[in-house]
Amino acid sequence: MAAADAARQAAPSGLGLDSAGVRQRMVQRLKQEGLSDERVLQALAKVPRHQFVDTALAIQAYEDTSLPIGHGQTISKPSVVGRMIELLFAGQGARQRGELGRVLEIGTGCGYQAAVLAELGRQVVSIERLKPLHDKAALNLASMRGNKIRLIYGDGRLGHAPLAPYDSLVAAAGGEDIPPAWLAQLAPGGRLVAPMAAPGGRGQVLVVVDHVVEEGRSHFVRSTQEAVQFVPLKSGVM
């Protein structure tokens, strides 16, 4: 449907994908499918997803599908990006602030989700372990990131301690469990959303972790959400 929208708006020399109307129709479909946070919907409507994928795939940019970005990685479905950010907003701290605060993103990829997060948080720190993707994201975000997005080339499993703590943490890769560094860098009242291996090792589920402080004591409360499919979380850099 998104491709058909773009084709109808196509100029002789282009696909018409820079039209806000194409993005708005994507957002309306996501809303019909259950995404309800208006702040998230507005951010998805604003960020030009087609600028983050290869030209040959641009006409598919506003379909609700993941697309390859090279090096065995993908750009997540818009519905999944929206759902994970919506879960971040449901945390206690984000509800009180009305925004995501300082965000740590694990797995920059092509930079799309970082751009969406930058519409909704005070600062975004995004880590990518693959140098070619880190460089690609830097190019993709050069014209829009301003001072709100800081890109880090490094091992995402370690988080980024120099700028911790983080009010929100979101991961675009799934491992067997939540790395201890992520929990250590999550601010009191903060929320973490990440894919993790499902019980029994069959597939992945979204896991939400809240850093709760009660009567002067802090602890982590974990809940499990729906099934998802993400690339594996790996250590080291390449």
Side-chain angles (χ1 to χ4, degrees):
M1 291 175 67
D5 287 341
R8 282 194 294 270
Q9 296 194 29
S13 60
L15 296 173
L17 289 172
D18 57 347
S19 165
V22 176
R23 293 194 294 278
Q24 191 60 49
R25 280 185 283 279
M26 176 194 76
V27 166
Q28 287 303 315
R29 289 192 293 273
L30 295 178
K31 190 172 184 178
Q32 291 167 6
E33 292 167 7
L35 193 62
S36 61
D37 192 301
E38 285 296 331
R39 296 163 296 189
V40 179
L41 291 166
Q42 289 174 16
L44 290 170
K46 187 172 181 179
V47 177
R49 190 172 185 250
H50 68 280
Q51 293 183 11
F52 293 85
V53 301
D54 291 341
T55 303
L57 300 173
I59 200 166
Q60 301 178 56
Y62 298 106
E63 298 288 351
D64 189 26
T65 186
S66 58
L67 295 170
I69 56 174
H71 309 281
Q73 308 298 300
T74 60
I75 181 175
S76 297
K77 294 180 179 181
S79 61
V80 173
V81 172
R83 171 62 173 157
M84 294 178 78
I85 299 176
E86 190 172 64
L87 285 170
L88 288 176
F89 263 118
Q92 179 183 7
R95 288 200 310 271
Q96 292 175 346
R97 288 187 306 272
E99 48 94 17
L100 296 180
R102 178 178 290 167
V103 184
L104 177 63
E105 180 191 31
I106 309 298
T108 312
C110 60
Y112 172 69
Q113 184 170 255
V116 178
L117 290 166
E119 296 293 327
L120 301 164
R122 186 172 67 251
Q123 181 186 31
V124 178
V125 179
S126 185
I127 306 175
E128 177 55 56
R129 64 181 291 269
L130 300 177
K131 190 62 162 60
L133 286 184
H134 169 78
D135 293 342
K136 177 184 284 190
L139 288 173
N140 288 341
L141 293 165
S143 64
M144 64 183 70
R145 74 189 198 191
N147 295 320
K148 291 191 72 173
I149 302 176
R150 179 165 180 178
L151 301 180
I152 306 293
Y153 171 53
D155 185 344
R157 288 184 60 87
L158 303 178
H160 189 65
L163 292 176
Y166 301 97
D167 304 298
S168 305
L169 190 155
V170 62
E176 293 299 313
D177 204 350
I178 303 298
W182 297 1
L183 299 178
Q185 294 171 28
L186 188 63
R191 170 169 278 205
L192 177 160
V193 179
M196 197 182 80
R202 295 184 177 181
Q204 296 173 332
V205 291
L206 279 181
V207 171
V208 174
V209 179
D210 290 295
H211 187 174
V212 178
V213 179
E214 296 175 322
E215 298 180 352
R217 297 183 178 181
S218 68
H219 62 282
F220 297 97
V221 177
R222 181 182 301 209
S223 62
T224 301
Q225 306 295 320
E226 63 266 29
V228 288
Q229 185 174 355
F230 279 83
V231 296
L233 178 66
K234 296 181 179 181
S235 299
V237 295
M238 295 180 64

